[in-house]
Amino acid sequence: MPQYKQFPLPDTAEGLTEAEILTWHVKPGDTVAVNQIIVEIETAKAAVELPCPWAGVVTELLAEPGQTVEVGVPIITIDTDPGGAAAPAAPAPVAASAEANGTSSGKIGEEMPGGRIATLVGYGPKSGTAKRRARKDAAPAAAVTAPPAPAPAPVPVAAPVVQAPAPVAPGGYVPLAKPPVRKLAKDLGVDLHVLTGSGPGGVITREDVETAVSAPAAPAAAAASYVDNGTRERRVPIKGVRKATAQAMVDSAFTAPHVTEFLTVDVTPMMELRAKLKNAPEFRGVKLTPLAFCAKAVILAARRTPDVNATWDAAANEIVYKDYVHLGIAAATPRGLVVPKVRDADRMSLKELAVALDELATVARDGKTSPADMMNGTITITNVGVFGVDTGTPILNPGESAILALGAIRDMPWVVDGEIKVRKICQLALSFDHRVVDGQQGSQFLADVGALLAEPGIAMTY
């Protein structure tokens, strides 16, 4: 008989509590295979593609693009035995039935019974007969008995009420409200988009809806508060990468005492070396940017000042010094600021760094940076120079003790051997956590980075 299973939104092992449905890659009636990508979601850190844990036929999509779904809520129904003919009973989400079937819902990476490794929440080595999700207009399902035995009188089973996806406003805003509150608002003719929720996190409550019914009618202009009457303003929900970045910046700014120092450097020798290396056979086809030289300088300078590569552990009352460099590179993407990491950057040559930085930037611009690639960095560079900006006061990435801003490289007058000449000039700005890095240490590190960019040959002495 048909086997209907519902796939709940999984915890992708990054502390995920909710995610937004970006794009469905399947539709009802499509045949899917195990591990086939079925949907792309956006978490607080990145866009993630989810594979299907079963083979079968898609019977229903339970969430619309643009809808925010909590972890554990079913998002799709799959018929894993489309050749069966018997009528199904009401559905049960996979995660909810896992215990009854003798399987564990498990976290990603957890070993399951039978030796399998879980890749998604609710994905185990076996599962019982799942049930089909009833539609709003479906008649109550009847209990089905085994064919050999005399069939008893059918026992009616109440079909679960399926809440329709929240309507999306023209600006993409989806009001936060529980299904019973949405139903009440629909019955009373109240538009949830014009209400301000009084519940935790701005959730609209039953009282908010009832108050709106008893309140005098608002002007028509106020009814479209999410879009200005003259279309001169628009509201965009704070979610995903933007929400996570905002929280991280606030946490960092009000936790770590920031100090920022500046240095102006003549990088003419570095630019001359770059021009020579670009014509060298071993660098043919390599995108060798000033950022690659800066990254190498940061790595070398951190050897002499390991404090900038350390972490303040308040819980353990310790400073953690790290004998490796996971170099973060701040990147602007259509979804917001992300900081992917170059792992073990201290083990890379200049050429390897250049290649890694180019690949990292390409993946970030495509919005394909995985959550794992943005975690556990040790020090960060933000290249504001690509925007034509000279310098800034960068905010530390949470958990790190230093961040360097690389400014634009410009032709400027510079005194060389008592004479004014046109040189390639760049400004550097270093922000550091004064709990971990003293002023002398921060100044030494910044001076070392500047010296390596001003005279790359100094690297021979490190």
Side-chain angles (χ1 to χ4, degrees), residues 309-385:
N309 198 52
T311 298
W312 179 273
D313 188 341
N317 199 29
E318 296 174 338
I319 296 177
V320 183
Y321 290 89
K322 300 174 181 179
D323 298 327
Y324 56 89
V325 177
H326 291 340
L327 182 64
I329 303 295
T333 74
R335 292 191 176 96
L337 176 69
V338 297
V339 188
K341 320 299 179 188
V342 179
R343 303 293 176 187
D344 295 314
D346 53 311
R347 299 182 180 181
M348 295 183 178
S349 65
L350 178 62
K351 178 182 176 181
E352 291 170 333
L353 266 176
V355 172
L357 292 173
D358 186 39
E359 293 175 349
L360 177 148
T362 300
V363 173
R365 282 193 299 269
D366 292 341
K368 300 299 183 181
T369 304
S370 69
D373 289 338
M374 291 186 284
M375 300 172 65
N376 303 320
T378 61
I379 190 170
T380 295
I381 298 175
T382 175
N383 185 12
V384 298

Side-chain angles (χ1 to χ4, degrees), residues 230-434:
T231 67
R232 293 174 298 173
E233 68 179 41
R234 59 192 177 92
R235 293 177 180 266
V236 178
I238 303 171
K239 58 186 179 180
V241 175
R242 172 58 57 196
K243 183 176 180 179
T245 300
Q247 187 60 53
M249 293 299 96
V250 170
D251 291 344
S252 176
F254 290 96
T255 300
H258 285 56
V259 174
T260 304
E261 295 185 340
F262 306 91
L263 180 65
T264 304
V265 183
D266 176 7
V267 295
T268 304
M270 180 200 79
M271 298 300 287
E272 293 173 346
L273 175 60
R274 173 174 173 255
K276 293 178 181 178
L277 291 178
K278 288 178 68 175
N279 294 323
E282 59 269 28
F283 280 87
R284 186 172 293 117
V286 176
K287 189 176 182 180
L288 189 58
T289 64
L291 179 60
F293 286 89
C294 184
K296 191 64 176 177
V298 165
I299 293 166
L300 293 174
R303 293 180 184 174
R304 291 179 42 156
T305 312
D307 307 81
V308 299
N309 198 52
T311 298
W312 179 273
D313 188 341
N317 199 29
E318 296 174 338
I319 296 177
V320 183
Y321 290 89
K322 300 174 181 179
D323 298 327
Y324 56 89
V325 177
H326 291 340
L327 182 64
I329 303 295
T333 74
R335 292 191 176 96
L337 176 69
V338 297
V339 188
K341 320 299 179 188
V342 179
R343 303 293 176 187
D344 295 314
D346 53 311
R347 299 182 180 181
M348 295 183 178
S349 65
L350 178 62
K351 178 182 176 181
E352 291 170 333
L353 266 176
V355 172
L357 292 173
D358 186 39
E359 293 175 349
L360 177 148
T362 300
V363 173
R365 282 193 299 269
D366 292 341
K368 300 299 183 181
T369 304
S370 69
D373 289 338
M374 291 186 284
M375 300 172 65
N376 303 320
T378 61
I379 190 170
T380 295
I381 298 175
T382 175
N383 185 12
V384 298
V386 296
F387 306 110
V389 175
D390 292 324
T391 189
T393 55
I395 298 177
L396 293 169
N397 229 16
E400 299 178 12
S401 296
I403 179 172
L404 181 78
L406 174 65
I409 299 174
R410 304 183 186 280
D411 289 335
M412 298 183 66
W414 195 258
V415 178
V416 179
D417 298 330
E419 296 182 3
I420 297 180
K421 297 184 179 181
V422 176
R423 306 285 285 182
K424 301 290 185 182
I425 305 301
C426 176
Q427 293 190 47
L428 306 175
L430 175 72
S431 292
F432 55 87
D433 185 344
H434 217 330

Side-chain angles (χ1 to χ4, degrees), residues 48-337:
V48 179
E49 293 180 331
L50 298 182
C52 183
W54 317 291
V57 175
V58 177
T59 61
E60 189 176 8
L61 303 181
L62 307 178
E64 298 290 335
Q67 183 178 347
T68 299
V69 182
E70 294 184 356
V71 167
V73 174
I75 59 175
I76 189 172
T77 302
I78 306 289
D79 180 1
T80 58
D81 186 15
V94 174
S97 63
E99 183 177 352
N101 294 327
T103 64
S104 169
S105 61
K107 296 287 186 181
I108 293 175
E110 180 179 336
E111 185 170 350
M112 310 298 292
R116 296 185 68 178
I117 301 299
T119 57
L120 295 168
V121 170
Y123 179 77
K126 63 177 180 177
S127 63
T129 301
K131 304 174 184 180
R132 184 171 184 172
R133 182 183 183 90
R135 302 179 184 274
K136 279 189 173 181
D137 55 354
V144 179
T145 59
V155 180
V157 179
V161 177
V162 181
Q163 182 66 27
V168 181
Y173 166 66
V174 179
L176 300 176
K178 294 182 178 179
V181 177
R182 293 186 186 278
K183 184 177 185 304
L184 175 64
K186 182 178 179 181
D187 293 342
L188 298 179
V190 176
D191 184 359
L192 293 178
H193 294 90
V194 304
L195 300 186
T196 300
S198 62
V203 174
I204 298 173
T205 64
R206 175 179 291 270
E207 290 73 20
D208 295 330
V209 175
E210 293 172 344
T211 301
V213 173
S214 59
S225 60
Y226 49 85
V227 178
D228 178 66
N229 246 356
T231 67
R232 293 174 298 173
E233 68 179 41
R234 59 192 177 92
R235 293 177 180 266
V236 178
I238 303 171
K239 58 186 179 180
V241 175
R242 172 58 57 196
K243 183 176 180 179
T245 300
Q247 187 60 53
M249 293 299 96
V250 170
D251 291 344
S252 176
F254 290 96
T255 300
H258 285 56
V259 174
T260 304
E261 295 185 340
F262 306 91
L263 180 65
T264 304
V265 183
D266 176 7
V267 295
T268 304
M270 180 200 79
M271 298 300 287
E272 293 173 346
L273 175 60
R274 173 174 173 255
K276 293 178 181 178
L277 291 178
K278 288 178 68 175
N279 294 323
E282 59 269 28
F283 280 87
R284 186 172 293 117
V286 176
K287 189 176 182 180
L288 189 58
T289 64
L291 179 60
F293 286 89
C294 184
K296 191 64 176 177
V298 165
I299 293 166
L300 293 174
R303 293 180 184 174
R304 291 179 42 156
T305 312
D307 307 81
V308 299
N309 198 52
T311 298
W312 179 273
D313 188 341
N317 199 29
E318 296 174 338
I319 296 177
V320 183
Y321 290 89
K322 300 174 181 179
D323 298 327
Y324 56 89
V325 177
H326 291 340
L327 182 64
I329 303 295
T333 74
R335 292 191 176 96
L337 176 69

Side-chain angles (χ1 to χ4, degrees), residues 11-49:
D11 179 349
T12 55
E14 51 167 316
L16 180 67
T17 59
E18 63 180 20
E20 177 187 354
I21 304 296
L22 289 182
T23 306
W24 282 106
H25 297 300
V26 294
K27 61 184 182 298
D30 285 356
T31 300
V32 294
V34 175
N35 289 331
Q36 177 181 334
I37 299 301
I38 56 174
V39 65
E40 184 177 11
I41 64 172
E42 184 181 45
T43 71
K45 296 181 179 179
V48 179
E49 293 180 331

